[in-house]
Amino acid sequence: MRRNLRKQLPPGPTVPGAFQLLGVWKRPSATLQRARRRYGKRFTVKMPFQPPFVILSDPEEIKEVFTAPPEVLHPGEGARILEPLVGRFSVILLDEGAHLEQRKLMLPAFHGERMTALAGLMGELTEREVRSWPCDEPVQLHPRLQRLTLEVILRAVFGLEQGQQLDELRDLVTELLVFSENPLSVLPAAARYLGWLRPMRRFDQLVRRTDSLIFELVKERRAAADTDRNDILAMLLQARHEDGSEMSQQEIRDELMTSLVAGHETTASQLAWGFERLAREPAVLNRLTEEIDRDDGDEYLTATIYEVLRLRPVLPNAEPRLTKQPVTIGAFRYPAGVALLASAYLVHHDPEIYPEPWAMRPERFLGTPPGTYTWLPFGGGRRRCLGASFALQEMKIVMRAVLSRYAIEAVDLRPEPTARRSITFSPGRGATVVLRERMQIDGTGASAEAVVAA
Ligand code: HEM
C-alpha cells in the first residue's frame, strides 16, 4: 500500500498481504476478532491485487456507510466476479441509477404479501423433503437443506412445475453452482476460450443451456399470460420500466439467476447453523418445541431465528462498498479507491451491544426488534437483501416442520467449526445431528415430553 494512503486509513495488520489473505480465507472469524481486539472498531486489511479493505464495526459508522449517496459508494463493483453466472443486468452488480432501476423492478416480487402467497408451496416442499430424513443415526443436515432450498427457489422463484423442465434445470444449476466454487469460474471470458481450460468450456456450455431453458420458459409464460400465479417470475413479467416497456428476457434471466445464487446456499447454510446451535442448546430447543406444539403464534420461533442470524451470520459482512469520491466516515476521511466493509460478524459479537455475545439467547429479541445498524445479517440501506422476507419465511416453515416431527441431538457437543463455502460460512461438519421420531398424539401433533426427554 502506498505510504500516503496508509496514513489516511485506520491502522491494521502489517504482515504481508498474502498472509493477510490467507488468514481472512482460512480462519476468518479468529482473524477478524484478533484484529478487532488489537486495532479497535475499524482497521485496514490489505490483500494482493485488491484495494485496501477497511473493516468497520461501529454502528454509527455503518449507518453513515449505508446512508451515503449512491454516487459516493459502489457496492456493485466489488461483486463483478459473479458476472459470468448472474449476468450483466444483475441487481447485485449495478450501481447508482442502473441499480435503482433494477431494484425497483424487483421490489414488488419480494414484498411481504407476495411471500405469504408462497407459504403453501414452501410448506409442501418442506414436508416432502423432511419426512424422508433418516432417524436414529448421525445425519448431515446441510446437504439435505441445500436440496430443499434449491427446490424452493426453482419452484417459487422460477415458477417451475414438476416435470422435465424442472428436472433439467435442477441438474444444470446444481452443476453450475458446484462449478462456481472453482476459482477458475471467475476468469474473464477471453481467457476461458483457451483450449486447455476444458472446465471453462464446460462452464460456458452449462450457462448457454441454462439460458436457453430460461428463455424458453419466459417465452411460454409470456404467451400463456396467466395472471393468477404467485411466483417471482410472474411478478417480473408484469414489471415495467419507467418508460412502460417490459423487462427484456436477458434482464429476467439475470435476476432469476441472481435470486438463485443469492438465495439458495445462504438460506441452506443459515438453517444448517440453526439446527447445529439448537442441538447444543436444550433450553432453547425445549422452549421452541413447546411453542410449536401449542401452535400458539411464532414469537419465540422468530426470536430464535433472529438470534441464529446474529450468532452465525452466513455472510459475515455486507457487500464491500468501493469509495468513488473522498468521503468522511467517523473520524476518517477516506480517499477514492478504498473498500468499506460493514462487519456483521464483529458487530454481532460486540459485548457492548449484546451482553455475553457468544451465548444463544433468543430472549434478546422478545418484544425488542433487531436494530437497523446493530443486526446486519441482511446488510442494509438501499442494498439490503431483497430476499430477507423470503428467507425468514422459509426458515420459519422449515424449523417448524423439522421440530414438529423430530427431536434433535448433537453427536458431539463441541460447536462445529466454521467452513467457508464460496463466500458463505457454514457448519464445518455439515450440521451433523441424530434425529429421533417424536411421539405423535392422536395423529395430530408431537409430544413435548419426547423432546424434553431427548
Ligand atoms: C438467510 C438467507 C440470506 C441471507 C443471510 C442474505 C444476505 C444478504 C446480504 C448480506 C446481502 C448484501 C446486502 C448489502 O450489501 O447491504 C444480500 C443481497 C441480496 N440478496 Fe440476500 N440473503 C439471503 C437470502 C436471499 C434470498 C432467499 C434471495 C432471493 C430469493 C436473496 C436475494 C438477494 C438480492 C437480490 C440481493 C442484492 C440486493 C441489491 O444489491 O440491491 N437473498 N443478501
Side-chain angles (χ1 to χ4, degrees), residues 285-295 400-408 436-454:
L285 180 60
N286 281 338
R287 182 162 177 190
L288 180 56
T289 313
E290 274 167 27
E291 180 186 87
I292 291 173
D293 287 350
R294 278 201 315 274
D295 197 11
R400 188 187 287 279
V402 172
L403 299 181
S404 301
R405 185 175 278 271
Y406 303 113
I408 57 175
R436 309 265 184 220
E437 193 86 40
R438 297 181 63 209
M439 263 189 287
Q440 302 292 307
I441 301 174
D442 304 332
T444 53
S447 125
E449 288 83 348
V451 169
V452 176

Side-chain angles (χ1 to χ4, degrees), residues 170-183:
R170 187 193 300 111
D171 290 347
L172 283 165
V173 299
T174 304
E175 200 181 335
L176 265 177
L177 290 171
V178 170
F179 198 92
S180 64
E181 286 176 17
N182 180 335

Side-chain angles (χ1 to χ4, degrees), residues 70 74 76 80 88-106 241 247 251 255 382-383:
H74 277 191
R80 287 280 147 77
R88 69 198 159 97
F89 289 111
S90 167
V91 68
I92 284 190
L93 304 188
L94 300 172
D95 286 303
E96 300 193 36
H99 168 258
L100 190 65
E101 187 174 357
Q102 285 300 311
R103 193 164 163 110
K104 268 199 196 153
L105 290 165
M106 291 177 81
H241 287 279
M247 288 176 80
E251 280 177 304
E255 302 311 1
R382 66 180 72 76
R383 306 301 292 225

Side-chain angles (χ1 to χ4, degrees), residues 92 99 103 110 263 266 318-319 321 377-380 383 385 387 390:
I92 284 190
H99 168 258
R103 193 164 163 110
F110 287 96
T266 44
E319 275 186 65
R321 270 73 168 159
F378 296 111
R383 306 301 292 225
C385 174
F390 188 105

Side-chain angles (χ1 to χ4, degrees), residues 92-152:
I92 284 190
L93 304 188
L94 300 172
D95 286 303
E96 300 193 36
H99 168 258
L100 190 65
E101 187 174 357
Q102 285 300 311
R103 193 164 163 110
K104 268 199 196 153
L105 290 165
M106 291 177 81
L107 265 175
F110 287 96
H111 199 269
E113 284 161 28
R114 309 298 309 174
M115 295 303 109
T116 318
L118 291 171
L121 175 62
M122 287 181 179
E124 217 178 278
L125 297 171
T126 303
E127 281 302 328
R128 211 172 55 206
E129 168 63 39
V130 163
R131 70 170 171 246
S132 70
W133 291 358
C135 284
D136 307 321
E137 60 184 74
V139 53
Q140 287 198 343
L141 295 187
H142 190 201
R144 291 174 162 78
L145 292 163
Q146 286 172 315
R147 187 166 64 203
L148 172 58
T149 59
L150 178 60
E151 205 64 11
V152 167

